């Protein structure tokens, strides 16, 4: 049940986040071999983590305890599904007796001394453990039906934790943030925003309204307005949206504008570039300080293979341009509006790839006479 989802994140992920927020920095996990990979993904890479084989659990636990710092006197033992909140329930909700959870505190040295061939963990916890209760904001989860009930509570608890760290949450009822997400001080999360996975938001950013980010990294002072970003990186002082779509594998630099109805996929975009509206940039390497006119398309797919487009620094792409990959636009080059580019463009050149205009004198007046 530890791997059952609450709002898209396994219960174990919520629990790990709560323990880390409470100061836990080292983890010793005992689980079945077939769950190890899935469970490991829920622990941050920057915490010490050990998950031994069943045959070496006792020996590895002794090593784990003996290598702890002297200040680490207490061990938190979790023996079953549980929820840890940063606040306890209102006292009026408490029953006459505290409700004991599956989370227990034990003394590290006492546990080390008790480890031998006859050691039984459950007996040791009964004799030496101090269980956490609902009065500590710790609750056992006894069945799958409870997970749905915990979803709004855990989400609000996570939002409360972020608010205490200096994040501005506009609407607790329409904002959903995974426990693994990190957000810098001074950032504002607007209504309708969902942040998933290993997303990280820098300082003084604005995300939302109505934005969805999954495994995205956003630099300081950036804005993501009504847009979606997946498995991509955005630099500092960059503006995304509204209604932009950043697909996996994209690296958007600093001080960039990605405007309305722009889609970027598996591409790098250099600092200072502007892609203001109605443009598709796929499988491309874009330099610095480039300008994309409205309606530009990188034509990257011929139904059999995908090809890359290279646009070097300071290039100017006119409106309604098609760049048929593989193709390179040289540094400082210009492309006339309405062109379909199939050949490389030298640096500082002007490329014109369209039919020459012809004006037929008095054609319109004659045509109207025929219509009558």
């Amino acid at each position: 049940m530890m791997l059952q989802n609450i709002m898209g994140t396994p219960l174990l992920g919520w629990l790990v986040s709560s323990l880390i927020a409470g100061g836990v920095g080292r983890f010793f996990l005992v689980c079945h071999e077939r769950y190890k990979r899935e469970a490991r993904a829920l622990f941050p890479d920057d915490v010490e983590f050990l998950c031994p084989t069943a045959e070496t659990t006792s020996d590895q636990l002794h090593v784990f305890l003996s290598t702890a710092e002297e200040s680490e006197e207490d061990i938190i033992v979790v023996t079953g599904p549980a929820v840890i909140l940063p606040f306890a329930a209102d006292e009026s909700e408490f029953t006459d007796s505290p409700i004991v959870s599956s989370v227990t505190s034990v003394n590290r040295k006492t546990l080390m001394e008790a480890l031998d061939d006859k050691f039984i963990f459950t007996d040791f916890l009964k004799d030496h453990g101090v269980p956490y209760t609902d009065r500590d904001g710790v609750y056992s989860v006894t069945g799958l039906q409870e997970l749905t009930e915990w979803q709004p509570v855990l989400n609000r608890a996570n939002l409360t934790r972020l608010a205490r760290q200096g994040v501005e949450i506009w609407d607790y009822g329409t904002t959903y943030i995974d426990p693994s997400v990190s957000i810098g001080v001074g950032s504002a999360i607007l209504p309708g925003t969902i942040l998933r996975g290993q997303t990280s938001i820098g300082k003084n950013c604005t995300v939302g309204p109505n934005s969805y980010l999954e495994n995205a990294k956003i630099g300081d002072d950036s804005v993501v307005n009504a847009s979606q970003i997946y498995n991509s990186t955005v630099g500092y002082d960059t503006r995304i949206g509204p209604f932009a779509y950043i697909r996996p594998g994209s690296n958007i630099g600093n001080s960039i504008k990605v405007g309305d109805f722009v889609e970027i996929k598996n591409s790098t975009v250099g600092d200072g570039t502007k892609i203001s509206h109605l443009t598709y940039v796929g499988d491309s390497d874009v330099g610095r300080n480039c300008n994309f006119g409205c309606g530009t398309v990188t034509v990257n797919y011929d139904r059999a293979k995908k090809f890359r487009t290279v646009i070097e620094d300071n290039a100017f792409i006119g409106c309604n341009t098609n760049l048929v990959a593989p193709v390179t636009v040289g540094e400082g080059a210009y492309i006339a509006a309405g062109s379909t580019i199939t050949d490389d463009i030298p640096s500082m050149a002007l490329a014109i790839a369209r039919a020459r205009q012809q004006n037929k004198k008095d054609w319109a007046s004659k045509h109207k006479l025929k219509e009558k």
Side-chain angles (χ1 to χ4, degrees):
M1 195 164 63
M2 283 284 205
L3 296 177
Q4 295 297 315
N5 284 344
I6 297 180
M7 209 178 72
T9 296
L11 175 58
L12 178 60
W14 290 97
L15 184 59
V16 169
S17 176
S18 296
L19 290 169
I20 291 174
V24 175
R26 307 173 73 229
F27 290 89
F28 187 94
L29 178 69
V30 179
C31 74
H32 194 283
E33 185 69 29
R34 69 173 177 264
Y35 299 129
K36 280 188 176 182
R37 177 176 296 181
E38 189 175 354
R40 178 65 184 95
L42 301 172
F43 291 80
D45 294 335
D46 58 352
V47 300
E48 186 176 338
F49 175 85
L50 183 63
C51 185
T53 60
E55 296 77 13
T56 62
T57 296
S58 182
D59 292 339
Q60 290 294 319
L61 178 58
H62 192 279
V63 172
F64 181 81
L65 296 173
S66 64
T67 55
E69 297 180 4
E70 288 297 322
S71 60
E72 297 174 339
E73 298 180 358
D74 296 322
I75 301 296
I76 307 300
V77 180
V78 181
T79 57
V83 166
I84 301 177
L85 303 179
F87 46 79
D90 187 270
E91 291 188 5
S92 62
E93 300 179 12
F94 291 146
T95 58
D96 293 337
S97 301
I99 300 176
V100 174
S101 74
S102 55
V103 181
T104 305
S105 175
V106 299
N107 181 267
R108 177 174 63 90
K109 292 182 179 179
T110 303
L111 177 56
M112 286 181 61
E113 293 170 357
L115 289 174
D116 56 30
D117 294 338
K118 299 179 180 180
F119 176 78
I120 300 176
F121 214 152
T122 53
D123 292 342
F124 175 83
L125 292 179
K126 290 179 181 178
D127 296 335
H128 301 282
V130 179
Y132 288 89
T133 71
D134 55 339
R135 284 163 168 72
D136 303 308
V138 183
Y139 305 82
S140 290
V141 180
T142 58
L144 292 176
Q145 70 277 4
E146 293 183 18
L147 297 181
T148 301
E149 299 171 3
W150 278 113
Q151 184 268 318
V153 179
L154 284 173
N155 186 56
R156 188 173 184 86
N158 190 37
L159 297 179
T160 299
R161 174 182 64 84
L162 292 169
R164 289 175 177 173
Q165 296 173 359
V167 178
E168 183 181 352
I169 308 292
W170 282 33
D171 186 351
Y172 283 70
T174 62
T175 301
Y176 302 92
I177 299 179
D178 282 5
S180 53
V181 171
S182 63
I183 305 176
V185 174
S187 288
I189 309 300
L190 277 56
T193 294
I194 300 174
L195 305 178
R196 299 292 318 281
Q198 300 300 318
T199 292
S200 65
I201 310 294
K203 299 177 181 178
N204 303 313
C205 294
T206 300
V207 180
N210 304 319
S211 291
Y212 183 98
L213 279 64
E214 185 173 307
N215 300 321
K217 183 176 181 181
I218 310 298
D220 296 344
D221 301 302
S222 289
V223 174
V224 180
N225 177 14
S227 297
Q228 298 193 2
I229 303 177
Y230 298 83
N231 300 89
S232 295
T233 300
V234 174
Y236 63 80
D237 190 34
T238 287
R239 301 292 182 268
I240 306 292
F243 314 122
Y245 181 25
I246 311 298
R247 293 168 58 187
S250 296
N251 188 351
I252 314 299
N254 308 316
S255 302
I256 287 173
K257 177 176 175 57
V258 177
D260 53 291
F261 304 105
V262 171
E263 180 178 345
I264 298 178
K265 171 250 179 185
N266 189 30
S267 297
T268 60
V269 181
D271 299 347
T273 287
K274 292 180 174 57
I275 312 173
S276 295
H277 33 226
L278 297 167
T279 292
Y280 173 68
V281 180
D283 300 304
S284 299
D285 299 297
V286 181
R288 300 181 177 216
N289 301 314
C290 295
N291 188 90
F292 283 72
C294 179
T296 298
V297 176
T298 57
V299 185
N300 59 329
Y301 184 49
D302 67 357
R303 202 177 184 182
K305 295 181 180 179
K306 292 186 177 179
F307 301 92
R308 295 193 73 81
T309 296
V310 176
I311 301 172
E312 297 180 353
D313 295 348
N314 303 305
F316 184 94
I317 314 298
C319 293
N320 294 320
T321 291
N322 296 308
L323 296 163
V324 183
V327 70
T328 297
V329 179
E331 182 175 356
Y334 278 68
I335 298 176
S339 295
T340 293
I341 303 299
T342 58
D343 298 320
D344 292 348
I345 303 172
S347 298
M348 305 307 291
L350 168 63
I352 305 173
R354 63 189 183 203
R356 184 176 296 277
Q357 179 174 329
Q358 295 180 357
N359 295 329
K360 298 192 176 183
K361 190 176 181 180
D362 296 328
W363 181 91
S365 59
K366 295 176 182 178
H367 182 68
K368 288 180 179 179
L369 290 173
K370 290 181 180 180
E371 287 180 348
K372 292 180 180 180

